[in-house]
């Protein structure tokens, strides 16, 4: 069967996909409504009784360095459980023999349809966690009863600066207070007993589109927080604040500002020698510290991971070359001074969005007969690194996913050897990993018993091309990379190939031999973070809507349970009254989840988010979601020329695709415009140019788009709808049902488009 050119466009799930997400906030219903109560939360209240508040105050009052280092087995006191961030629990009541009896103890509906990425903190039977728009909750960890809720009331319009969904990865606890960073750049200390704010400070520089999604870490009575925003254009830094007062103690910038303004520190003076020829400070330079940290109290070193350069494209950012310190680096900082002790750059002169903010794990492991104090990371660039954490010396690095940008990391120099074919300044290049990396923020885990690191890995590619028309625009992404390459290709076969190249897997990695020991291939990409336990289990939620346990030694699937929504967060475990519990937050979203949007599996039906808690003998059942699978409806009549919809295609992929999906194909939490109502079509210009839906999080694009451009985009959306209808009725649907079913019929729970 043959098709017209138009029908090639198919579905939007581009393997090449990336970090999509600017301005993504189509969520009228998001956190505005109170969370739905389950049987466990009938007594949900914004404030606990004062006796309970005092009890929580007492149990959290002495959370400090000694207690986090001691790491009592029943609790989960810090985001990585311990300062070494191993995310391994010594609890073993739930193990390979008993896991068959694992069942749901309680669940709690968050009432949101955006990504849930948080790792809960659990202290003596109380759980503190966060959801979309930086909302904080305290629950009874045994029953799920809501004890308090704190909503920082982030202005929804700020959501446009969240590259990768309005997510939050959790809180920190210290001496009776709970700390959260907000998507609009604030750091807030809450009374652990009541959720009442104690102090609330702004951490971001004025007039720059910073966001905070990462969990704070606390060392030596200082709360440490970084930020994101390098896709838009910011200068990265972390700041240390006094835990009691919020007073700033020090700030460490990761990249230099304008040299003409002088340097804040000797570290910036050194870094500036590695930036050449450009005006990087105008865009910002990047190097944001948006997720991982670790701390070694004995060495007195705080480790931070830094992000990509801003703009991505180094030929624009630093045209004279240079490594561009300290982007894409692990930096060890003395927390008493805020100054660098050592650094190791994973991707010198990064030009592919290869951040090194990914999870870092500290462990003492025997290598060639010698016990080494190591720091381990699987950054986006695809190599698994083992470094000496006392001094930053390179020990080893090998590829844990397919890598084409470099051939290997040189054992003598510790530097990657770039593949000349990865340079896209003059022509488009297809490169692995893509900008989502071989591994993203999803936490890994290290099991001291097996000696293995477990990696939630991604196998994705991307077509990089230089944006020759690049100019800095503070309201938009500033990459210097042409996102028109994310439009669906011109042949059905290429589209099928793209879909088949969206892959993800769970890898067990031996850090000593630098080899994969086993792998579980998953149905699709963007699966959840990990937990390992002394029960010799590895827990992972998956993009296909299942929560699962694997044998840590063999990778055998030993238990799984459907949750009706894709899971991206990492589980935790704790004990209350002699029973071990496992908790995971389930809510599909994040960079890939928002834009590529693909549940890609019938079990991931985009139910609203939930906190799910399991124990042996748990008998609670989830309600069966009412799901309808809707084919793309016939679009409204619209007259347009070929030139018009082709212009619309370019504009769509420049301004819209990071939220609404390449090829208009999202089936994530942001509206799929192919399902837009007649009313939306009538209001089109008022929304896109006039900002009519700003309060829903869809901002005006009047800085870049006029009504003619807006209508060209609408023409492209209509053209796409026609093409997808034709394609989905074709033989391809029958030939590739596993690829095309969920793309041709988007699962609808509640409102069409997931989040309207
Ligand atoms: Ca980035």
């Amino acid at each position: 069967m043959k098709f017209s050119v138009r029908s090639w466009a198919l579905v939007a799930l581009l393997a090449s996909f990336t970090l999509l997400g600017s301005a993504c906030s189509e969520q009228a219903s998001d956190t505005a409504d109170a969370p739905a109560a389950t049987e466990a939360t009938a007594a949900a209240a914004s404030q606990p009784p004062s006796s309970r508040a005092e009890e929580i105050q007492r149990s959290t009052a002495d959370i400090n360095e000694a207690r986090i280092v001691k790491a009592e087995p029943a609790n989960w006191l810090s985001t990585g459980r311990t300062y070494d961030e191993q995310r391994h629990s010594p609890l073993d009541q739930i193990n390979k023999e008993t896991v068959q009896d694992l069942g749901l103890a309680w669940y709690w509906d968050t009432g949101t349809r955006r990504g849930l990425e948080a790792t809960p903190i659990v202290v003596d039977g109380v759980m503190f966690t966060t959801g979309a728009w930086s909302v904080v909750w305290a629950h009874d960890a045994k029953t799920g009863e809501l004890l308090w809720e704190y909503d920082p009331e982030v202005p929804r319009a700020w959501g446009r600066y969240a590259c990768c969904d309005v997510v939050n990865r959790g809180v920190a606890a210290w001496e009776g207070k709970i700390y959260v960073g907000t998507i609009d750049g604030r750091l807030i200390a809450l009374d652990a007993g009541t959720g009442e704010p104690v102090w609330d400070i702004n951490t971001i520089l004025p007039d720059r589109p910073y966001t905070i999604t990462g969990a704070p870490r606390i060392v030596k009575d200082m709360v440490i927080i970084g930020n994101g925003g390098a896709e838009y254009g910011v200068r990265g830094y972390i700041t240390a604040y006094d835990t009691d007062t919020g007073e700033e103690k020090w700030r460490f910038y990761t990249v230099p500002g304008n040299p003409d303004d002088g340097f804040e520190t000797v570290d910036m003076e050194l870094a500036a020698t590695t930036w050449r020829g450009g005006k990087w400070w105008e865009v910002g330079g990047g190097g944001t510290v948006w997720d991982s940290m670790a701390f070694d109290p004995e060495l007195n070193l705080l480790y931070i991971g830094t992000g990509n350069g801003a703009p991505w494209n180094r030929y624009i950012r630093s045209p004279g070359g240079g490594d561009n310190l300290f982007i894409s680096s692990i930096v060890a900082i003395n927390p008493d001074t805020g100054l660098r002790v050592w650094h190791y750059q994973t991707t010198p002169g990064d030009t592919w969005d290869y951040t090194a903010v990914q999870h870092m794990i500290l462990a003492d492991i025997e290598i060639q007969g010698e016990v080494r104090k190591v720091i381990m990371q699987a950054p986006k660039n695809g190599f698994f690194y083992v470094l000496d954490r006392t001094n930053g010396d390179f020990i080893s690095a090998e590829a844990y996913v397919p890598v084409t940008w470099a051939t290997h990391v040189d054992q003598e120099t510790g530097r990657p050897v770039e593949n000349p074919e990865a340079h896209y300044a003059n022509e488009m290049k297809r490169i692995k990993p893509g900008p989502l990396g071989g591994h993203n923020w999803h936490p890994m885990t290290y099991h001291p018993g097996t000696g293995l690191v477990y990696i939630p890995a991604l196998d994705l590619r991307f077509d990089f091309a230089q944006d020759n028309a690049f100019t800095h625009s503070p309201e938009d992404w500033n990459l210097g990379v042409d996102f028109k390459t994310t439009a669906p290709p011109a042949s059905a076969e290429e589209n099928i190939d793209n879909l088949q190249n969206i892959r993800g897997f769970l890898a067990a990695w031996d850090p000593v031999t630098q080899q994969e020991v086993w792998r579980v291939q998953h149905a699709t990409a963007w699966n959840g973070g990990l937990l390992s336990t002394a029960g010799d289990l590895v827990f992972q939620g998956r993009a296909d809507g299942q929560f699962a346990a694997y044998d840590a030694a063999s990778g055998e699937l030993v238990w799984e349970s459907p949750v009706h929504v894709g899971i991206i967060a990492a589980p935790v475990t704790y004990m209350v009254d002699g029973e071990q519990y496992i908790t995971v937050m389930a809510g599909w979203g994040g960079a890939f989840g928002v834009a590529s949007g693909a549940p890609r599996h019938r079990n991931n039906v985009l139910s609203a988010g939930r906190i799910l808690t399991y124990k042996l003998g748990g008998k609670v059942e989830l309600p069966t979601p009412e799901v309808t699978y809707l084919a793309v409806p016939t679009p409204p009549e619209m007259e347009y020329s070929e030139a018009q919809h082709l212009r619309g295609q370019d504009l769509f992929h420049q301004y819209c695709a990071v939220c609404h999906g390449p090829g208009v194909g999202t089936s994530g939490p942001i509206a799929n415009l192919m399902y837009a109502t007649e009313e939306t079509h009538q209001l089109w210009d008022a929304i896109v140019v006039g900002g009519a839906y700003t309060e829903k999080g869809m901002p005006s694009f009047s800085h870049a788009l006029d009504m003619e451009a807006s209508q060209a985009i609408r023409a492209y959306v209509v053209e796409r709808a026609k093409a997808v209808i034709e394609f989905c009725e074709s033989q391809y649907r029958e030939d590739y049902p596993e690829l095309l079913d969920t793309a041709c019929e988007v699962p609808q729970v509640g409102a069409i488009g997931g989040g309207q």
Side-chain angles (χ1 to χ4, degrees), residues 19 230-231 290 308 312 353 355 380:
L19 272 173
E231 270 56 61
W290 55 262
N308 54 279
W312 286 2
D353 190 23
T355 71
K380 278 190 185 177

Side-chain angles (χ1 to χ4, degrees), residues 13-147:
L13 301 177
L14 296 188
S16 45
F17 224 70
T18 169
L19 272 173
L20 313 170
S22 74
C24 298
S25 300
E26 198 77 7
Q27 293 299 306
S29 63
D30 215 31
T31 51
D33 303 327
T38 67
E39 66 257 27
T41 63
S46 61
Q47 287 263 306
S50 58
S51 59
R52 189 66 194 265
E54 285 163 18
E55 192 184 313
I56 300 168
Q57 259 300 331
R58 271 198 302 278
S59 66
T60 55
D62 64 345
I63 296 180
N64 55 22
E65 181 171 321
R67 205 169 156 193
I68 293 175
V69 168
K70 191 176 111 197
E72 53 230 59
N75 286 328
W76 193 284
L77 298 181
S78 178
T79 195
R81 207 183 93 82
T82 45
Y83 276 134
D84 53 25
E85 305 265 335
Q86 293 184 357
R87 289 178 177 266
H88 174 82
S89 169
L91 297 179
D92 62 0
Q93 190 179 80
I94 299 164
N95 56 46
K96 278 189 278 191
E97 281 67 48
T98 61
V99 70
Q100 291 309 324
D101 295 328
L102 194 60
L104 197 58
W106 58 266
Y107 67 92
W108 188 80
D109 291 333
T110 62
T112 62
R113 290 184 191 278
R114 300 297 287 266
L116 295 177
E117 298 187 353
T119 299
I121 299 288
V122 183
V123 188
D124 298 345
V126 178
M127 178 184 299
F128 304 93
T129 194
T130 61
W133 299 106
S134 328
V135 173
V136 186
W137 298 295
H139 288 86
D140 184 309
K142 182 175 176 173
T143 66
E145 179 193 359
L146 180 68
L147 301 174

